Amino acid sequence: SYELTQPPSVSVSPGQTARITCSADALPKQYAYWYQQKPGQAPVLVIYKDSERPSGIPERFSGSSSGTTVTLTISGVQAEDEADYYCQSADSSGTCWVFGGGTKLTVL
Amino acid sequence: EVQLVESGGALVQPGGSLRLSCAVSGFTFTTYDMHWVRQATGKGLEWVSGIGKAGDTYYAGSVKGRFTISRENAKNSLHLQMNSLTDGDTAVYYCARGGPNGFDYWGQGTLVTVSS
């Protein structure tokens, strides 16, 4: 089955840049999506189609793609960005979806 | 304002059945794919099932043959019929609006607990 691999945790100090990677185990890679989830809340979409930002999401959130790896970058991290982040993509048919295991972002 | 409100979560015994519902408002329901995503306590997100605008259905391997997704367009509602439930199905179940731009709106979730 299709798998997406994320680091379990990333830690940064306020104002620094956080990078969270997500690696797919096969080609072709479909578009990737990123979600932020804070404790007790539903996930929120922060990046779609690898690098597009939904309205209302701060500009410090950006996404990029290279080969089978996508990266979520948060520039100038703020305390409020502390959350779990999940990448998501679809299998080759585009009909079944997969989430990465999630990355806990800690703001020191 | 887009809203998705799940209901139907409960405590159920192993082997039992449960039907979840998701009432949506604030957008044209018939023009969007819809999905169910679940999350066990302290664990990550797991896509469960999706249904297209035309009613085509898709399932994760872990639930195929046990769960059935459906949509009731006249009532702007999404459903998930869950049969042969096991401990592994214990989770918060979210409904989410899908599309080419990802799962852009989510409900707050409903808790399903499978336990004897």
Side-chain angles (χ1 to χ4, degrees):
Chain A
S1 62
Y2 191 58
E3 291 188 2
L4 300 174
T5 301
Q6 300 179 232
S9 63
V10 168
S11 299
V12 296
S13 299
Q16 289 190 328
T17 296
R19 294 181 179 85
I20 300 173
T21 58
C22 173
S23 299
D25 68 349
L27 287 170
K29 183 187 73 62
Q30 302 270 5
Y31 279 127
Y33 303 79
W34 289 94
Y35 300 85
Q36 176 194 68
Q37 187 182 33
K38 297 181 178 180
Q41 298 183 18
V44 173
L45 179 70
V46 294
I47 293 290
Y48 66 94
K49 288 184 177 178
D50 289 351
S51 59
E52 301 295 321
R53 193 173 52 250
S55 61
I57 300 301
E59 290 184 7
R60 63 180 181 273
F61 288 86
S62 64
S64 61
S65 176
S66 178
T68 58
T69 298
V70 292
T71 301
L72 172 69
T73 300
I74 310 172
S75 304
V77 166
Q78 300 182 6
E80 66 196 51
D81 299 330
E82 186 163 283
D84 294 325
Y85 290 85
Y86 295 90
C87 63
Q88 179 203 37
S89 190
D91 66 3
S92 57
S93 69
T95 56
C96 292
W97 295 84
V98 176
F99 287 94
T103 298
K104 181 175 181 59
L105 175 66
T106 299
V107 181
L108 301 171
Chain B
E1 178 191 7
V2 172
Q3 286 192 320
L4 295 83
V5 180
E6 302 93 339
S7 62
L11 171 64
V12 60
Q13 292 189 338
S17 299
L18 205 58
R19 187 185 194 225
L20 305 183
S21 296
C22 174
V24 312
S25 59
F27 65 97
T28 304
F29 182 60
T30 54
T31 62
Y32 286 89
D33 301 340
M34 297 296 298
H35 298 270
W36 289 98
V37 176
R38 68 185 181 184
Q39 185 173 37
T41 301
K43 303 297 184 182
L45 302 173
E46 180 187 14
W47 176 80
V48 172
S49 181
I51 186 167
K53 297 178 288 292
D56 44 316
T57 59
Y58 309 96
Y59 299 93
S62 58
V63 307
K64 191 173 293 185
R66 300 188 299 123
F67 289 12
T68 302
I69 190 172
S70 62
R71 61 192 303 160
E72 202 171 351
N73 290 338
K75 294 187 177 182
N76 285 350
S77 293
L78 176 72
H79 304 290
L80 185 68
Q81 177 66 43
M82 304 186 295
N83 298 331
S84 302
L85 287 163
T86 71
D87 293 353
D89 298 315
T90 293
V92 172
Y93 285 72
Y94 296 100
C95 64
R97 188 177 85 168
N101 295 341
F103 294 14
D104 57 356
Y105 286 93
W106 297 62
Q108 283 305 302
T110 188
L111 177 62
V112 173
T113 303
V114 183
S115 175
S116 54

